[in-house]
Amino acid sequence: MQTQISIIKERARISLSGRFDFNAHRSFKAAYEGQLRAAEVSEIEIDLGNVEYLDSAALGMLLLLRDQAASAHKTVILSNCRGVVQQILDIANFKKLFTIQ
Amino acid sequence: MDSPPPPQSAGQPDQDAAAPAQVIVFACQAQLRRELEPMLAVAGVRVLDIADVDEVIERADRGDAGVVLCCAEEGCTSLRMLSERRVHRRPTCPWALVALLPAGTGEAEVAVVQGLADDFLQMPLSASWLSARLGLYLRMGAYVSRMQAQRAALQQYQDEAEEEQRIASHLISRLEGRDPLADRLMHAWVSPAHQLSGDVVAVARSPDDRVNVLLADGTGHGLAAAISVLPVSDVFHRMTDRGFDIASIVTEMNRKLRSCMPADRFVACVAASIDMRERMIEVWNGGCPPVILLGSDGSMERFWRSRHMALGILDSSDFDSSVERFAYVEQCQLMVVSDGLSEALGQDGKHRFGDRELIEAVRGPAASRLQRVVNQLHDFAGGRALEDDASVLLVDCLLEPHAETTADVPALPAAVPRSPGRGRSTHWAMEMRLGPAQLRRITLVPFVSGLVEQLGIPSRLRSNVFCVLSELLANALDYGVLALDPALLELPGGRERLREDRVNRLAALTYGSLWIKAAVEPSGGGEYLQIEIEDSGPGFDVESLEARLAKLKGPESVRRGRGLELVRSVCEELRFDQNGRRVVAVILLLPPG
């Protein structure tokens, strides 16, 4: 999985592409850790527009990010969810936990 | 005799500077030795001069030397001895056996030497050539040594992992309670992506004959996922045995997982209950693909989408345990699958096993339905291995509890046969009064189930005693304390109305009580359990209630009418008085004589 980070005002956008599964653990963590520490960032957007698939381990990583972001007083937004990614998030009822744009 | 340490050189092998590499020189004539020594000194290695072949092998195996230089004299006797003796040994450290060939050695001799040694060097040698070759041998030895160490570490890791998995498999199989009767209703297929499955399927019966169904899918797969689902499986079996409802069971599963699992670990779960007397299905779906109710021809009668978060994510205060209910009228089959099935990749590596494939596979007779789903999945995957644990669970929803489940209530011998020398030390009595706070709090089935278990009733009679206690308590609560109107049972939709009234009145209960007394007493040479229940309600006409229940058609007649019928059939005496406010039931525990 590839990650790309861009920062617009107070929002850090982490764009993911490829397959988001357990193997993406390191790269995903590396992408968000800096944003959690950055004082100027108040929102972390996970752009799933180019993600082909995500498994339950990826859902777990999003939950972990949400927990850590809450501790750092930041919010997490999931964006551009479509196709199978949207279906998986629907089944997991992640809309109850995350803002999905 | 060992030579003094040589000076450092460019050709010194890649070894720890504090411990120069060592080379054994074996079976070399004095002349050759004199030629070698200065060159080995330039190469920066220490020379071990050993004459005994066994000592050469021993010290080389021990790692004292990375290279053994052996002169290949005519006939290669020494080389052959070394070669033969090391062949079956497993040295701690790898070493190279290098033959030194006299100048002008012919092709035939070279061929012989190649079969005995790892390499050969032909005299005359230059110092730089020998240094380079020795460096190569020692580096290769160090490389092989590292590889061997890594391989040993990997082997150890694999052995430990296999042992852990063996223990985990054993533990999981022991924790998964088996109920042969419930198993007959269940048709399941579980395909682990690894040795251990993170999917668990189970079916278990509660004391009041409800069939509870579980499919739990832990995050990821393998041991980590299998460990995550253990608490879920344990709670499911334990609480089903005690008679708790699905909402209580999933609440406890969530609490337990939330308290013991890391934030990124959760368990997607379907917990369902099939009450074959009421013909009512309750489903709680948190994070799993839709649960589908299939008609006898495989048509889709009803489906339940995931309405909840998976277990272990939300705190108890945010957790929603509400279930969805559905009353079925025909025999049908409940199908639950895990996402490993619905997301299985096809042979093209792009498309996933979706609703279309599943609906196609389930169409047709129920008997071979599971096999058709599995075949369809295999055809779709075209030999491609599944990436995740995949499960399919089909549970028959009968129009009445399985013949043997009801048979064991009235048809069992009413008492345990007397055994010689059996003592009479079991006489006891207990009584309790439950006020509004307790009545609001207590879930009747687990309460009665726990009571029967704790009272020390012989196990063969427990279902009889459970049946009597639960029916009489339910009547006393519903038509006594809560004063529900039994006439509702005869109206369309009356059952639901009665259920709602029950929930509302119980929640608002501030006055009323149930008094329960149970005593085991000897009488006429036998031993009897007498149960007395008295409620604080206005009383109700028992005969009229029984007549009303007897006239009922459909599921409610099975449930309530049959309930009182069963009570009468297992009691020696059943007596209502005080206008139905008090009931006395007598059960024979030990026959006279």
Side-chain angles (χ1 to χ4, degrees):
Chain A
M1 186 186 75
Q2 305 292 316
T3 60
Q4 196 176 349
I5 303 170
S6 55
I7 298 182
I8 306 159
K9 294 184 179 172
E10 293 182 344
R11 178 180 284 198
R13 176 183 293 157
I14 301 174
S15 302
L16 311 180
S17 56
R19 195 183 155 85
F20 188 12
D21 60 14
F22 181 76
N23 298 317
H25 184 77
R26 279 176 194 278
S27 56
F28 182 63
K29 193 176 174 191
Y32 74 67
E33 273 184 338
Q35 311 317 315
L36 288 176
R37 285 193 299 269
E40 69 276 16
V41 170
S42 64
E43 287 179 343
I44 299 174
E45 176 189 342
I46 306 297
D47 181 352
L48 298 164
N50 289 315
V51 170
E52 299 157 7
Y53 177 70
L54 76 168
D55 69 358
S56 57
L59 297 178
M61 286 182 243
L62 291 173
L63 289 174
L64 198 60
L65 167 62
R66 179 178 171 271
D67 267 20
Q68 294 180 1
S71 301
H73 307 292
K74 299 177 197 297
T75 54
V76 178
I77 294 162
L78 308 182
S79 66
N80 297 317
C81 314
R82 57 177 75 98
V84 70
V85 171
Q86 179 70 55
Q87 284 172 24
I88 291 166
L89 292 173
D90 282 348
I91 287 175
N93 279 297
F94 265 35
K95 60 181 178 293
K96 293 182 180 177
L97 288 182
F98 292 90
T99 303
I100 298 181
Q101 292 182 343
Chain B
M1 182 194 268
D2 294 2
S3 63
Q8 296 287 316
S9 81
Q12 187 174 14
D14 182 21
Q15 293 286 319
D16 184 351
Q22 301 188 117
V23 169
I24 295 174
V25 176
F26 178 65
C28 290
Q29 300 289 335
Q31 174 61 34
L32 178 56
R33 197 179 303 273
R34 274 195 296 279
E35 286 177 35
L36 283 173
E37 275 175 2
M39 289 191 280
L40 291 170
V42 170
V45 296
R46 183 196 291 268
V47 176
L48 302 179
D49 201 359
I50 302 172
D52 178 66
V53 66
D54 291 324
E55 190 182 348
V56 170
I57 298 279
E58 197 64 43
R59 294 196 63 179
D61 279 357
R62 215 163 57 203
D64 287 353
V67 180
V68 174
L69 294 173
C70 176
C71 187
E73 78 289 8
E74 198 170 337
C76 298
T77 312
S78 304
L79 187 62
R80 200 177 299 280
M81 279 197 301
L82 274 176
S83 179
E84 286 171 358
R85 290 190 192 190
R86 77 164 183 166
V87 74
H88 296 303
R89 296 175 66 99
R90 290 188 173 180
T92 311
C93 301
W95 52 276
L97 175 57
V98 180
L100 295 173
L101 300 182
T105 304
E107 290 291 324
E109 287 85 352
V110 169
V112 171
V113 165
Q114 280 181 320
L116 298 173
D118 298 316
D119 198 8
F120 66 90
L121 299 172
Q122 192 141 24
M123 303 298 285
L125 289 168
S126 71
S128 58
W129 174 249
L130 180 61
S131 177
R133 299 299 293 179
L134 286 176
L136 179 65
Y137 300 144
L138 291 167
R139 279 196 301 277
M140 286 181 67
Y143 174 72
V144 171
S145 192
R146 279 199 300 276
M147 293 288 290
Q148 284 180 341
Q150 285 172 355
R151 189 178 164 189
L154 275 174
Q155 185 64 51
Q156 186 181 357
Y157 177 78
Q158 186 179 354
D159 291 347
E160 286 173 2
E162 282 176 2
E163 179 62 7
E164 284 169 359
Q165 294 208 336
R166 188 188 64 78
I167 292 169
S169 297
H170 179 81
L171 187 66
I172 289 164
S173 67
R174 289 299 171 98
L175 285 175
E176 287 171 3
R178 305 296 296 178
D179 177 344
L181 215 54
D183 281 356
R184 276 187 227 168
L185 302 170
M186 170 172 105
H187 316 272
W189 177 80
V190 178
S191 169
H194 289 253
Q195 191 177 345
L196 278 174
S197 175
D199 284 5
V200 162
V201 297
V203 174
R205 273 182 310 148
S206 68
D208 59 343
D209 259 349
R210 278 177 292 121
V211 173
N212 284 355
V213 177
L214 172 75
L215 187 147
D217 175 4
T219 320
H221 36 251
L223 184 60
I227 287 173
S228 314
V229 296
L230 272 183
V232 173
S233 176
D234 181 43
V235 169
F236 173 77
H237 286 290
R238 202 162 35 79
M239 292 185 72
T240 297
D241 282 351
R242 297 282 310 278
F244 283 94
D245 58 16
I246 290 298
S248 305
I249 292 174
V250 293
T251 301
E252 175 59 12
M253 287 172 174
N254 182 69
R255 188 200 63 76
K256 198 160 186 178
L257 282 177
R258 181 70 176 154
S259 66
C260 67
M261 298 299 290
D264 59 342
R265 292 277 161 183
F266 56 84
V267 175
C269 172
V270 167
S273 175
I274 305 165
D275 187 335
M276 294 179 197
R277 284 190 184 146
E278 296 255 17
R279 296 177 191 167
M280 181 68 73
I281 298 172
E282 290 183 352
V283 174
W284 186 94
N285 183 354
C288 284
V291 177
I292 303 175
L293 188 69
L294 298 166
S296 54
D297 59 352
S299 56
M300 192 165 63
E301 301 288 321
R302 173 83 157 84
F303 67 95
W304 293 267
R305 289 192 190 285
S306 161
R307 286 183 57 223
H308 304 283
M309 303 289 300
L311 299 169
I313 296 174
L314 296 173
D315 290 332
S316 295
S317 53
D318 298 325
F319 184 74
D320 181 359
S321 65
S322 62
V323 297
E324 294 173 89
R325 290 192 180 83
F326 180 74
Y328 64 95
V329 290
E330 307 260 327
Q331 183 164 325
C332 47
Q333 213 171 38
L334 193 70
M335 179 168 72
V336 192
V337 302
S338 69
D339 61 1
L341 182 104
S342 57
E343 291 167 20
L345 270 178
Q347 52 191 326
D348 60 0
K350 290 179 184 171
H351 293 97
R352 297 185 182 275
F353 194 79
D355 295 344
R356 192 171 58 83
E357 285 77 10
L358 194 57
I359 288 167
E360 193 179 311
V362 296
R363 200 173 294 132
S368 55
R369 190 169 287 152
L370 180 67
Q371 196 53 52
R372 290 201 304 276
V373 173
V374 175
N375 291 346
Q376 180 89 350
L377 176 67
H378 285 154
D379 290 348
F380 180 79
R384 190 186 181 98
L386 298 178
E387 297 171 319
D388 194 3
D389 304 318
S391 308
V392 184
L393 174 62
L394 294 165
V395 186
D396 298 331
C397 305
L398 309 180
L399 295 180
E400 279 187 58
H402 200 285
E404 287 184 42
T405 66
T406 48
D408 65 4
V409 178
L412 278 176
V416 178
R418 178 180 296 282
S419 56
R422 190 149 164 231
R424 296 240 176 215
S425 58
T426 54
H427 305 158
W428 51 263
M430 56 80 61
E431 60 179 281
M432 70 173 86
R433 185 176 295 278
L434 303 175
Q438 290 77 40
L439 292 173
R440 283 198 308 269
R441 184 183 165 86
I442 286 171
T443 310
L444 205 55
V445 175
F447 172 70
V448 173
S449 156
L451 205 58
V452 170
E453 201 178 305
Q454 298 297 321
L455 289 177
I457 305 295
S459 57
R460 292 187 67 197
L461 290 173
R462 278 183 199 161
S463 58
N464 288 0
V465 177
F466 175 85
C467 167
V468 173
L469 260 174
S470 57
E471 285 297 327
L472 298 184
L473 275 172
N475 275 343
L477 181 64
D478 289 358
Y479 304 114
V481 177
L482 300 178
L484 298 179
D485 181 3
L488 284 173
L489 290 169
E490 294 172 77
L491 303 176
R495 271 198 302 160
E496 275 307 308
R497 170 80 191 283
L498 204 66
R499 189 194 304 277
E500 282 171 26
D501 284 355
R502 186 180 196 282
V503 169
N504 294 337
R505 290 186 190 186
L506 196 56
L509 191 69
T510 54
Y511 174 80
S513 65
L514 278 181
W515 173 80
I516 307 160
K517 181 180 177 187
V520 171
E521 293 291 342
S523 177
E527 202 170 76
Y528 296 84
L529 170 66
Q530 180 162 309
I531 296 169
E532 295 172 65
I533 297 172
E534 190 175 320
D535 67 70
S536 61
F540 58 94
D541 182 350
V542 181
E543 283 181 18
S544 155
L545 174 67
E546 284 200 77
R548 203 183 293 274
L549 292 172
K551 278 192 294 182
L552 288 176
K553 291 178 180 166
E556 191 60 27
S557 69
V558 177
R559 172 74 186 97
R560 303 312 298 264
R562 187 95 174 259
L564 278 176
E565 190 185 313
L566 290 180
V567 170
R568 284 199 189 282
S569 71
V570 299
C571 287
E572 296 295 304
E573 183 186 347
L574 181 69
R575 189 175 72 243
F576 287 90
D577 44 45
Q578 295 183 22
N579 192 28
R581 287 180 54 232
R582 184 168 181 273
V583 60
V584 179
V586 179
I587 301 168
L588 177 63
L589 295 182
L590 200 65

